[in-house]
Amino acid sequence: METKNRKVLILLCLLLPAVSYAQGTSARLDSLFKSVAAKDMFNGNVLVAQQGKILYRKSFGYADLERKKLNNVNTGFQLASLSKVFTAIAVLQLYEQGKLRLDETFRTYIPKFPYQEITIRQLLSHTSGLSDQDLAAAFTAFENTTGRRPITTTWWQSWRPPM
């Protein structure tokens, strides 16, 4: 990412709370995001909520530039390792609510998970010893248990490690 784009993104992250609280209107948020998107410095979806109430929701830019397919609220994005932070926060919120214990095995919640001894704490701290190459079986177990395909399953099944 270019330095200029990084600075704009950081600025947006810092200003967004001030804008949403100080002005409190979707029109002001819309003006902010439209101006940044018009300068080709933002491409994605925005959702601003406060206490469970959606204050602003809009999509900007293209999901597929070549085909001129616009982003929409259902557009999926490759977040790479950023999703780890969101997952960790969600898991720790469940821990704070007393809905899970960090030292329980993952199999407590997903019984078909193929690794019996791995705990939630180990997964969160990347100390389980689980290799990336071992995850295909875990994705299959997830799908069999929940009836849903993990978002990364398609990517994972087509990925081949470099030789």
Side-chain angles (χ1 to χ4, degrees):
M1 184 183 293
E2 295 178 16
T3 304
K4 182 178 179 182
N5 288 347
R6 283 186 193 183
K7 288 178 184 176
V8 170
L9 184 58
I10 291 169
L11 181 63
L12 279 175
C13 290
L14 293 174
L15 290 178
L16 184 57
V19 170
S20 64
Y21 287 112
Q23 282 93 21
T25 65
S26 62
R28 302 258 180 176
L29 290 168
D30 198 45
S31 175
L32 170 69
F33 286 106
K34 278 183 178 177
S35 67
V36 175
K39 296 174 186 169
D40 292 327
M41 292 191 289
F42 181 70
N43 184 61
N45 292 336
V46 178
L47 180 120
V48 178
Q50 184 177 23
Q51 297 179 339
K53 181 181 175 191
I54 295 175
L55 303 175
Y56 179 78
R57 179 186 225 174
K58 193 157 186 177
S59 302
F60 298 92
Y62 293 98
D64 186 335
L65 183 60
E66 290 177 8
R67 294 185 182 101
K68 301 290 185 200
K69 180 181 176 188
L70 295 171
N71 282 322
N72 62 59
V73 296
N74 296 314
T75 302
F77 297 92
Q78 293 294 330
L79 298 178
S81 292
L82 184 62
S83 61
K84 292 176 187 177
V85 176
F86 294 117
T87 301
I89 289 170
V91 168
L92 292 173
Q93 286 175 336
L94 291 171
Y95 166 75
E96 285 180 341
Q97 296 168 11
K99 294 182 179 179
L100 63 76
R101 292 192 323 247
L102 297 178
D103 292 314
E104 286 182 310
T105 66
F106 191 74
R107 282 185 82 156
T108 302
Y109 303 96
I110 307 290
K112 293 184 180 180
F113 186 69
Y115 307 97
Q116 295 181 20
E117 303 301 320
I118 293 177
T119 67
I120 294 170
R121 183 183 307 272
Q122 289 172 324
L123 290 172
L124 286 173
S125 62
H126 300 275
T127 58
S128 69
L130 183 62
S131 165
D132 287 350
Q133 286 77 24
D134 294 332
L135 293 176
F139 287 151
T140 300
F142 176 86
E143 185 174 356
N144 291 340
T145 302
T146 65
R148 293 180 292 123
R149 292 186 75 176
I151 292 171
T152 57
T153 301
T154 303
W155 170 84
W156 185 260
Q157 288 174 344
S158 64
W159 181 79
R160 298 291 178 260
M163 298 292 179

